[in-house]
Amino acid sequence: MNLRTLLGCTAAAAFAAVAAQAEVTVLGWPGGPEETALRAVTEIYNAQPGLAEENRVELLFTSRDGFFDKLQVDLAAGSTAFDVNLIATYSIGRYAPFMEPITLSDQAGTVFGDTVLSTMQFGGAQYGVPTDLSLHFLYFRQDLIDALMADPAAVTLYGDIAEQYLGERLAPKAPGEWTWQDFAANALYFSQSVNPASPTRYGTVIQMKNLLFNMMVFHSWPRSYGANWMDADGNITIDSPAYRTALEMAKMLYDAGATPPDSTSYEYAEANAAFSSGQVAAMIQWNAAASELMAAQPTTGTFAPPAGPEGRFTHIHGLGLGLNAAAENKDGAIAFLQWMSTEEAALAYARAGGAPGLATATAAQLAAERPDLVQVGEYASTYGFVMNGGTSENALSVYEAQAKEFTGYWAGTQDLDTAMANITAAMTDLLQ
Amino acid sequence: MNSPRRENAVLAAPLVLFLLALLGFPVMLSVVYGLSETTFQTLTRPRFVGLDNFARVLGDDGFWQAAWFSLRFGVITAVLQCALGLFLAVYLAPLIRRHGWMVAVLIIPMIVAPAMMGLMYRLVLHEFAGPVPHYLYAWFNYSPPFLNAANVFTTVVVAEVLQWTPFAFLLFLTAYQAIPQEVREAAAVDGTRPWRMFWRIELPLMLPTAFVALFIRFIDGFRVFDNIYTLVGAGPGGVTTSMSIYIYEAFLRQGDIGRAMAAAILLFGAAFTLLTLAQRLMRRAA
Amino acid sequence: MRIGTTLRWLVFGIAAFVMNFPVLATLITALKAPGEVSRNPSLWIEEPTFANFATVLTISDRLNVYHYLWNSTVAALIGAVLPVIVAFPIAWAMARRGVGRALLFPLVVNLRALPLIIFAIPLYLMYAAAGLLDTRLGLGLILAIVNLPLALMLLVNAVAEIPLELEEAARMDGARTPRLLWRIVLPLCRPALITTFVFGFITAWNEFLFGLMLTTQRAVPMTVGASFFFATSGGGVQWGVAAAVMIVAALPPLALGLVMYRRIAGSMVAGAVKG
């Protein structure tokens, strides 16, 4: 290799390096429909005529395991490896100090609706464009419930069981009308440890692993009884009859064998495997599992979680993309984020497999291809809630503490009063 | 001119310089963080609080729970691994002499990444997707809940023992094979029976190996992270939180950097003291 | 005698099967078609298929298993060879002259007890300043630190094993220390050096946390890259592909270990005797 070639190569390499730095790098959520959808919309964006070379979007995906840990370290150290990064409602508070608020396009309000936009807000500022909405469905085996309701003897047995365990004689209903009492009765009836003739081994699966995400799955339950993390004055109100009722009901189901005994180590993957095997009658699970569960058990139906005395609620949080304060190409990044909040981008994202929370009118446009999005959008605006304090800086740590104390109670390693005392102390520390 | 002192300095230089270059700044910073109140937001502006973090750590039930877990786990797994390893090494030695490939088969488990092993166990023990409960249900119509609060400690101990016994096995095998044949022949001439041969002659010669094996396995068990974390995480109510998991969670999950560093410093101090004591004891015994 | 031998084979068979069960089960899962994995948890494969391995071994938009394997190989090599180079001189000085016995030796050995992840942030900052972030060299350096404690222990013991007479003889022939180390001590330590290398390579290969924190794209090792394969379009864990990638990830160290296991054995005991 002669000198000229060497110089040429060096120059080319240097140029390539410079060019690479002048792109907009977007760090997305790896390995799921979110990635597929993001790739699809990025292609559309990059194909726009008149897009400057240095504003082309490059995608970056890291490991799913420990994603948020790594993001935390990267942001705290002022990494310039990406301009735009993924954020989630429950962690905006933690990352906000390292990010910059942005203004979205004019269409954003119409496309997403206020509730969904608020999932990307913190301290009154908009930190990102919402890309995917997560909430919970009640998944149930329609065939089993139909069979139950058609059999008078079974209905009697169902009533007996309800009376014995819940103190109230109940009759099977359509899941769309369920209260948590109905949910519990159904879970007990379909468990072989309570009803040896049950067609399934377990009536439900409650994800009880010491994991913060399981607390999100759980807390629609106490919320429907009126619970909240804090009241309007900022007092910690976790030790409440609402939370206690819900926790005790879950424990009762665990002790009765209505959920697998290994539930204390179950999270998303295990619960889905259980339901997919056909041995579970109903469960609360993230909406993202819909395609997997329906593929495995085609008679699966979905609805919003059961209602309590204070109404029907589902936890919602969003995934979205926001601006890294240390970004090198801020203008390009902002342009991309604004484009992502337009109707064109949102529809393309949805068509490519993403699950954005869309306002009813927007979602209606996709009714044929993505009926589940209509459902998601509807539930989000009608039943969606965020706990008071759920987007604060230490929200994640609150979930962590709850996970530890509540799973300890469920597993029998401590009693409810101890758990409540501990969590109140922890949350006071974290939220006040 | 080769004065021993200068020479020693030259010999020590690579190690010392390497350590200083790579760990010098981190250690310093960790001590600073240990003595300050820091979060990810205030990384560059730690607030000095003296021994506050240490007090908080020592007063934290979770810390003692984790310390107790690590201690129990370390001792039990080390003893079990060494006992099993010793048994396998001595009992299978005659076969191995003729079929060396047996060693290869037996050391496979310790070559797999502990994090992967944890995931493999997670699959294997899963009530619906794993083979173990499948066959237990088929044969006994019952499968114990391996991962509930009552059984989880046993399960992780068994998983660790099954993965790392090969390490102890390898150590003991080599020690056993290294015993000079003359020693055995002399004893055989005297009419020593096999059990006595083992108990009175071979085992004492392997005692130093046993110490090293126990020590290394204890340290590894004490600081276990990967396979427990991927198998069960921190456990319901934190029952499977080892020291490393405690520090990891304080550091990355709760963002309580000061507490994590304080705990790590305490951990290091404890290990250091233990090792020095152990060395003194071994020297006195030898 | 025959009963004795049969019994020994039986014990071997049971031990080998029980200890290797997870690996076997994972291999079997890797050979099952996706639908079958959730349906059929037994060890009997209804329709064996290599589809999962094909998925893993195909280079796609984001997943390039060969890239991760190469990164792991380079980083693990650095992480296995460097400790030997760095620790050998002082190991000799420690064994023969007691240099650093009181302080340096316990200090280094105890690093093994410490979850090194606590140094993540300062290391990250240091690496960012030195341009070592997301490089194989950067990862290799920290892997070398991880392997240092065991390397030092094994090498000190290996040197102590060498009969003093050999060194004294060389001294009397006028050899100075560098020559002594190079000509006499090093060759005699070969088994220990090989063992240290093999264990170091395996440990370095299996490291996850540092691989996660210190790399983003260019230097992603296999342990981290493996987790990329775990998710499906549904966001759940696709056990078939996950199993296949775990097998592929385990192959290089396995190959190394199985080739070298005879050599490994030699120095482990040397390490033990002179604790």
Side-chain angles (χ1 to χ4, degrees), chain A residues 266 269-270 273-274 277, chain B residues 122-134, chain C residues 29 32 36-42 239:
Chain A
Y266 274 27
E270 285 88 356
S277 74
Chain B
R122 198 163 143 188
L123 171 65
V124 160
L125 295 175
H126 189 276
E127 183 179 344
F128 297 99
V132 173
H134 174 84
Chain C
T29 308
K32 286 185 188 165
E36 192 182 330
V37 177
S38 44
R39 255 189 316 113
N40 173 24
S42 76
W239 286 109

Side-chain angles (χ1 to χ4, degrees), chain A residues 116 131-135 137 287 290 346-360 362-381:
Chain A
V116 173
T131 55
D132 296 89
L133 193 65
S134 287
L135 46 75
F137 284 155
N287 61 322
L347 290 177
Y349 191 83
R351 290 205 170 94
L358 301 169
T360 328
T362 327
Q365 296 182 40
L366 296 166
E369 302 130 287
R370 298 291 305 272
D372 59 309
L373 286 186
V374 179
Q375 206 180 14
V376 167
E378 184 195 318
Y379 291 167
S381 40

Side-chain angles (χ1 to χ4, degrees), chain A residues 70-375:
Chain A
K70 180 172 170 55
L71 183 60
Q72 173 85 91
V73 174
D74 283 346
L75 283 174
S79 169
T80 56
F82 47 86
D83 302 289
V84 169
N85 59 274
L86 183 85
I87 42 175
T89 313
Y90 47 79
S91 56
I92 296 188
R94 191 181 266 199
Y95 300 132
F98 312 108
M99 302 182 64
E100 250 180 48
I102 54 173
T103 352
L104 297 177
S105 73
D106 298 329
Q107 300 178 26
T110 341
V111 172
F112 297 105
D114 285 333
T115 320
V116 173
L117 282 180
S118 71
T119 62
M120 290 283 115
Q121 288 167 359
F122 176 73
Q126 187 79 31
Y127 273 91
V129 53
T131 55
D132 296 89
L133 193 65
S134 287
L135 46 75
H136 300 116
F137 284 155
L138 169 68
Y139 293 92
F140 52 89
R141 292 275 304 280
Q142 187 68 55
D143 56 328
L144 295 176
I145 300 194
D146 289 339
L148 166 61
M149 298 214 288
D151 178 359
V155 172
T156 319
L157 181 58
Y158 185 97
D160 293 336
I161 293 176
E163 200 166 25
Q164 184 188 349
Y165 284 85
L166 304 168
E168 191 189 333
R169 194 161 187 87
L170 296 168
K173 303 197 196 88
E177 296 163 28
W178 278 6
T179 64
W180 285 104
Q181 295 277 82
D182 294 310
F183 175 82
N186 186 77
L188 289 164
Y189 175 81
F190 280 108
S191 301
Q192 279 173 358
S193 55
V194 173
N195 171 16
S198 161
T200 56
R201 205 182 288 167
Y202 301 104
T204 186
V205 175
I206 303 181
Q207 295 164 60
M208 291 175 163
K209 182 174 180 178
N210 181 353
L211 188 68
L212 63 99
F213 294 107
N214 290 343
M215 288 298 105
M216 298 178 191
V217 179
F218 172 70
H219 72 177
S220 313
W221 198 334
R223 183 74 179 93
S224 68
Y225 280 82
N228 213 331
W229 284 4
M230 300 191 291
D231 60 21
D233 303 317
N235 300 313
I236 306 288
T237 53
I238 187 129
D239 192 347
S240 56
Y243 255 103
R244 283 179 179 254
T245 311
L247 286 167
E248 282 165 352
M249 279 176 85
K251 175 138 177 75
M252 181 268 294
L253 289 176
Y254 180 75
D255 290 336
T259 177
D262 268 348
S263 295
T264 48
S265 71
Y266 274 27
E267 49 154 321
Y268 189 72
E270 285 88 356
N272 289 349
F275 192 89
S276 301
S277 74
Q279 292 296 336
V280 174
M283 73 170 178
I284 309 290
Q285 181 58 293
W286 298 94
N287 61 322
S291 44
E292 182 183 338
L293 295 180
M294 285 181 169
Q297 295 293 332
T299 56
T300 303
T302 58
F303 199 74
E310 298 295 319
R312 191 182 295 274
F313 290 95
T314 171
H315 162 103
I316 53 166
H317 73 250
L319 289 182
L321 295 169
L323 180 64
N324 180 2
E328 287 178 330
N329 184 354
K330 284 215 177 125
D331 295 326
I334 294 176
F336 177 67
L337 289 172
Q338 286 186 333
W339 179 80
M340 283 293 290
S341 67
T342 62
E343 187 176 279
E344 175 196 357
L347 290 177
Y349 191 83
R351 290 205 170 94
L358 301 169
T360 328
T362 327
Q365 296 182 40
L366 296 166
E369 302 130 287
R370 298 291 305 272
D372 59 309
L373 286 186
V374 179
Q375 206 180 14

